[in-house]
């Protein structure tokens, strides 16, 4: 199944945001390492962050595909609900499995591997905040323009 343009756009936003958050996380690990607060092997942190980000982005891609296929079969609400619930359970199990792998594999840094699973939610919250700010600023700008019109143009 191919992603629709709107889903692809959202997936790109999530992917870029998740990778930016992961880069910030790696930078924090590097600063902690350089200051001696927490010693870590840089390549392990980098690899763990990248792998965790890929799991998070893949999880969101599966969500997009599920919602898209559910929307195409909207004529049977029971089947749609069952499909979405099954997908949710499978995606949650995938994340749980990744957490277990991150904990058991010694070459992975656990925090750097698991933390990126939270980044798509952070990105979504940021995008919603940004949209809310933008929508609040637009009516205020329109009101200022209406107040600045000469009296003969107000009618």
């Amino acid at each position: 199944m191919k992603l629709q343009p709107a889903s692809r756009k959202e997936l790109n936003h999530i992917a870029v945001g998740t990778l930016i958050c992961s880069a910030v996380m790696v930078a924090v690990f590097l600063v902690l390492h350089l200051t001696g607060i927490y010693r870590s092997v840089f390549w392990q942190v980098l690899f763990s962050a990248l792998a965790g980000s890929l799991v998070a982005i893949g999880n969101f891609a599966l969500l997009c595909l599920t919602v898209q296929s559910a929307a195409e079969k909207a004529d049977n609400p029971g089947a749609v609900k069952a499909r979405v619930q099954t997908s949710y359970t499978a995606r949650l199990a995938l994340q749980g499995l990744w957490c277990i792998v991150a904990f058991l594999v010694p070459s992975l840094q656990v925090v750097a591997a698991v933390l990126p699973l939270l980044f798509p939610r952070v990105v979504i919250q940021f995008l919603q905040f940004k949209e809310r700010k933008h929508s609040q600023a637009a009516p205020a700008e329109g009101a200022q323009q209406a107040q600045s019109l000469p009296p003969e143009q107000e009618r």
Side-chain angles (χ1 to χ4, degrees):
M1 174 178 252
K2 192 173 181 181
L3 280 175
Q4 294 176 351
S7 295
R8 193 174 307 120
K9 180 181 173 185
E10 290 305 315
L11 182 59
N12 285 338
H13 286 147
I14 295 300
V16 169
T18 299
L19 291 173
I20 289 171
C21 289
S22 292
V24 169
M25 179 186 66
V26 168
V28 168
F29 268 99
L30 183 61
V31 168
L32 291 174
H33 178 77
L34 293 175
T35 58
I37 295 173
Y38 177 77
R39 293 287 177 187
S40 60
V41 179
F42 182 72
W43 71 267
Q44 285 180 333
V45 171
L46 190 62
F47 178 73
S48 299
L50 182 61
S53 295
L54 291 176
V55 170
I57 293 166
N59 186 28
F60 192 80
L62 289 174
L63 172 66
C64 288
L65 288 170
T66 301
V67 169
Q68 187 173 302
S69 69
E72 291 173 356
K73 300 173 185 174
D75 55 339
N76 187 351
V80 169
K81 182 178 179 183
R83 177 158 173 83
V84 170
Q85 285 178 338
T86 303
S87 170
Y88 174 76
T89 303
R91 290 182 298 106
L92 195 60
L94 174 71
Q95 288 182 340
L97 181 64
W98 172 247
C99 292
I100 292 168
V101 167
F103 184 74
L104 293 178
V105 175
S107 62
L108 291 175
Q109 207 292 334
V110 177
V111 175
V114 173
L115 202 57
L117 298 179
L118 302 175
F119 293 160
R121 186 170 300 226
V122 171
V123 173
I124 290 168
Q125 292 296 321
F126 173 76
L127 291 173
Q128 287 176 344
F129 174 76
K130 186 176 155 187
E131 182 64 30
R132 224 176 297 127
K133 270 296 218 201
H134 186 313
S135 65
Q136 289 174 353
E141 290 173 1
Q144 288 176 349
Q145 288 176 353
Q147 290 175 356
S148 66
L149 291 177
E152 61 274 356
Q153 288 185 353
E154 288 181 357
R155 293 180 235 157

